Amino acid sequence: MIAERTGTKEETITLDGDEFDLESLKRHCYAKYKLSDLDAVKIAVNHSLESSGPLKHGDEVAFLPPFAGG
């Protein structure tokens, strides 16, 4: 769903400075691709679900669409 909406499956982003965190990246991507619901998408950093925290060079960040389970 996210890949279809943004027209991309993968993107490399160069972080400016040492103070780039997950919330900053999330706001950047949502603004760039005009996504609306900040809380509906889950984020994984290096294959672990995260909600906040600093990012470092080489981290892999995945935006996961809403999903249901049970």
Side-chain angles (χ1 to χ4, degrees), residues 19-27 38-39 41-46 48-56 59-63:
E19 298 296 320
F20 212 86
D21 62 16
L22 193 53
E23 280 301 312
S24 298
L25 176 64
K26 194 174 181 180
R27 284 191 303 274
L38 290 168
D39 295 321
V41 174
K42 300 294 183 198
I43 297 178
V45 178
N46 300 321
S48 177
L49 286 177
E50 301 289 340
S51 59
S52 64
L55 295 171
K56 58 188 176 304
D59 280 347
E60 177 186 59
V61 179
F63 287 76

Side-chain angles (χ1 to χ4, degrees), residues 1-11 29 33-35:
M1 173 188 97
I2 296 170
E4 289 175 11
R5 176 111 189 244
T6 62
T8 185
K9 289 185 178 186
E10 184 175 314
E11 181 175 3
C29 291
Y33 293 110
K34 296 174 178 60
L35 301 172

